[in-house]
Amino acid sequence: MGPQDAAGEVPNGLTTTLDTIGSSFVTLLKAVVPPLIFTAIVASIANLRTVTNAARLAGQTLLWFAITAAISVAVGIGLGLLFQPGNRASVSLDAASEPGRTGTWLDFLNGLIPGNVLGLGASTQVEVTDAGASASTSVSFNVLQILVVALVIGIAALKSGKKADPFLAFNRSALAIVQKVLWWIIRLAPIGTAGLIGYAIAAYGWTSLASLAWFAVAIYVGLAVVLFVVYPILLRTNGLKISSYFKGAWPAIQLAFVSRSSIGTLPVTQRVTERNLGVPSEYASFAVPLAATTKMDGCASIYPAISAIFVAQIFGIDLSITDYLLIAFVSVVGSAATAGLTGAIVMLTLTLSTVGLPLAGVGLLLAIDPILDMGRTAVNVAGQALVPTIVAKREGILDLEQYEAATAEDLFVDEDDDASSEATTETTATAETAEAAPSGTKEPVGASA
């Protein structure tokens, strides 16, 4: 019998093809993320020297991260108590198992310290079969460590003054090259999206939701409330049109839903935040990568809150007010602990261990995690675009005209192409004016020949 897919069935040619197409697209996106984060953060820090309120922007960004996370976890706790998913679930405790990986506060502290300047890590897995043993090594990158390295180098470059100008010039050139490669990859989005959606439908479907139907309903209702109720209220409170936000941010939200990766969606999130929502690139290039690693309203707020209540109900454990406050605390300040150990399961184990709930309950939820992860990631990315937009509006640096005209039609058009097009248009208009002018008309004083 061949290898099984996520649904427990032998994969066929269709699922294999769709999975290959979709995963290849996400892999390409992830491959360009490390150099993009590094060069963008260094460039943004260099540009912040021209911004008088840089420290205030950073503080406001973190404050709004906490505000939206607190609201999201409150929604999650409320829905968990309303739906009672653990008391309505038709699952057996025999299916409970310890998670393969866990999240702790020590993981967060260790994740801040780069193992190397590139933030890279390697892991080797050995598989023993009747034919012998085989080893495979995979290389991954720690986004939080890359962020720390870029921040330190960027600040050091600022402190070095003119001596760092050649390095900053090289970094700007490297950033332009990385962005060009990025948009070549992004042009494959329609093909990659088709593969990701097709594989999700073929491999998982909705049959596995039967035993955990109420839990899944509670999660998606919570995600919908945050995305379509909480976020719009925050937008209106800050004087922003709701329709413009969704029109501008939708390409990133849509890609996040099918790719299930905030990091893979990061390039598109930053693009729509700058181009569609009108956030200055100097600020967006700092806030969006930071948000992609630490701002997760879906994975770190709604999901662990409802899941903790579910696990407590399954095991017959009564939660106190203190326990609910601990869940809220972990959701607000603990999401960064998953930056180096990506995944909502890691955040869930951190929450359960902090509250003192059995980690074995995590195994009950793994069967439908891919289906839930689609919605969680979409809300994550929506929040990652929302906070910089709100902060920029409150600080008076948001391009309101650009925000009001938010559209995805020119998402893949390069700024250089726009500038060349405008220059060509202006040159043509000037030439036509000159031809139409009377032969005796004199040029103004100071005009170049």
Side-chain angles (χ1 to χ4, degrees), residues 181-233:
V181 173
L182 167 66
W183 295 118
W184 290 345
I185 297 173
I186 292 298
R187 291 177 188 274
L188 301 175
I191 300 175
T193 300
L196 290 165
I197 294 178
Y199 177 72
I201 295 174
Y204 300 106
W206 295 97
T207 56
S208 59
L209 287 173
S211 61
L212 296 169
W214 281 105
F215 174 74
V217 168
I219 293 293
Y220 266 95
V221 169
L223 295 172
V225 168
V226 171
L227 182 59
F228 298 114
V229 178
V230 174
Y231 287 173
I233 290 176

Side-chain angles (χ1 to χ4, degrees), residues 46-121:
N47 292 333
L48 284 177
R49 57 185 167 185
T50 62
V51 180
T52 56
N53 59 343
R56 177 179 171 83
L57 283 174
Q60 287 292 310
T61 302
L62 295 176
L63 175 62
W64 278 94
F65 282 0
I67 291 174
T68 52
I71 296 174
S72 298
V73 72
V75 170
I77 292 175
L79 290 175
L81 296 175
L82 176 64
F83 281 87
Q84 299 285 310
N87 295 332
R88 300 185 181 189
S90 58
V91 294
S92 171
L93 289 178
D94 296 335
S97 61
E98 293 286 345
R101 50 184 181 158
T102 60
T104 65
W105 296 104
L106 185 59
D107 292 326
F108 171 61
L109 296 177
N110 291 333
L112 286 174
I113 304 174
N116 53 73
V117 71
L118 299 177
L120 293 175

Side-chain angles (χ1 to χ4, degrees), residues 17-369:
T17 301
L18 292 173
D19 183 34
T20 301
I21 294 174
S23 61
S24 296
F25 174 66
V26 175
T27 300
L28 285 173
L29 279 177
K30 288 183 178 180
V32 80
V33 165
L36 175 67
I37 291 180
F38 180 85
T39 55
I41 290 294
V42 172
S44 65
I45 292 177
N47 292 333
L48 284 177
R49 57 185 167 185
T50 62
V51 180
T52 56
N53 59 343
R56 177 179 171 83
L57 283 174
Q60 287 292 310
T61 302
L62 295 176
L63 175 62
W64 278 94
F65 282 0
I67 291 174
T68 52
I71 296 174
S72 298
V73 72
V75 170
I77 292 175
L79 290 175
L81 296 175
L82 176 64
F83 281 87
Q84 299 285 310
N87 295 332
R88 300 185 181 189
S90 58
V91 294
S92 171
L93 289 178
D94 296 335
S97 61
E98 293 286 345
R101 50 184 181 158
T102 60
T104 65
W105 296 104
L106 185 59
D107 292 326
F108 171 61
L109 296 177
N110 291 333
L112 286 174
I113 304 174
N116 53 73
V117 71
L118 299 177
L120 293 175
S123 60
T124 302
Q125 293 183 342
V126 179
E127 183 178 355
V128 180
T129 62
D130 296 336
S134 61
S136 60
T137 301
S138 60
V139 178
S140 60
F141 61 89
N142 188 311
V143 177
L144 187 59
Q145 291 183 4
I146 296 175
L147 188 66
V148 171
V149 171
L151 285 171
V152 171
I153 292 179
I155 295 173
L158 282 182
K159 296 296 183 180
S160 299
K162 293 185 177 180
K163 293 181 180 179
D165 288 346
F167 168 75
L168 294 177
F170 170 79
N171 183 79
R172 286 193 296 270
S173 299
L175 176 58
I177 294 172
V178 170
Q179 288 177 329
K180 178 64 70 174
V181 173
L182 167 66
W183 295 118
W184 290 345
I185 297 173
I186 292 298
R187 291 177 188 274
L188 301 175
I191 300 175
T193 300
L196 290 165
I197 294 178
Y199 177 72
I201 295 174
Y204 300 106
W206 295 97
T207 56
S208 59
L209 287 173
S211 61
L212 296 169
W214 281 105
F215 174 74
V217 168
I219 293 293
Y220 266 95
V221 169
L223 295 172
V225 168
V226 171
L227 182 59
F228 298 114
V229 178
V230 174
Y231 287 173
I233 290 176
L234 293 177
L235 289 168
R236 291 297 299 171
T237 302
N238 287 277
L240 295 170
K241 282 184 61 177
I242 299 172
S243 59
S244 295
Y245 166 76
F246 281 106
K247 190 185 301 182
W250 194 252
I253 297 173
Q254 183 181 30
L255 180 60
F257 183 83
V258 297
S259 68
R260 297 167 44 206
S261 173
S262 294
I263 296 300
T265 311
L266 171 60
V268 180
T269 308
Q270 183 169 333
R271 185 70 160 188
V272 300
T273 303
E274 295 176 6
R275 170 155 288 192
N276 294 353
L277 300 180
V279 179
S281 59
E282 295 84 1
Y283 169 55
S285 59
F286 169 80
V288 177
L290 179 64
T293 59
T294 60
K295 175 63 184 162
M296 295 174 281
D297 288 341
C299 290
S301 296
I302 300 170
Y303 178 74
I306 297 178
S307 298
I309 294 174
F310 169 85
V311 171
Q313 292 171 351
I314 283 289
F315 285 90
I317 300 173
D318 293 328
L319 296 177
S320 64
I321 297 297
T322 303
D323 294 324
Y324 292 122
L325 292 177
L326 280 176
I327 293 174
F329 172 79
V330 175
S331 298
V332 173
V333 303
S335 60
T338 66
L341 301 167
T342 54
I345 297 301
V346 177
M347 183 62 195
L348 175 57
T349 61
L350 176 62
T351 304
L352 295 181
S353 60
T354 302
V355 179
L357 294 173
L359 296 181
V362 176
L364 299 170
L365 309 177
L366 294 179
I368 62 171
D369 188 70

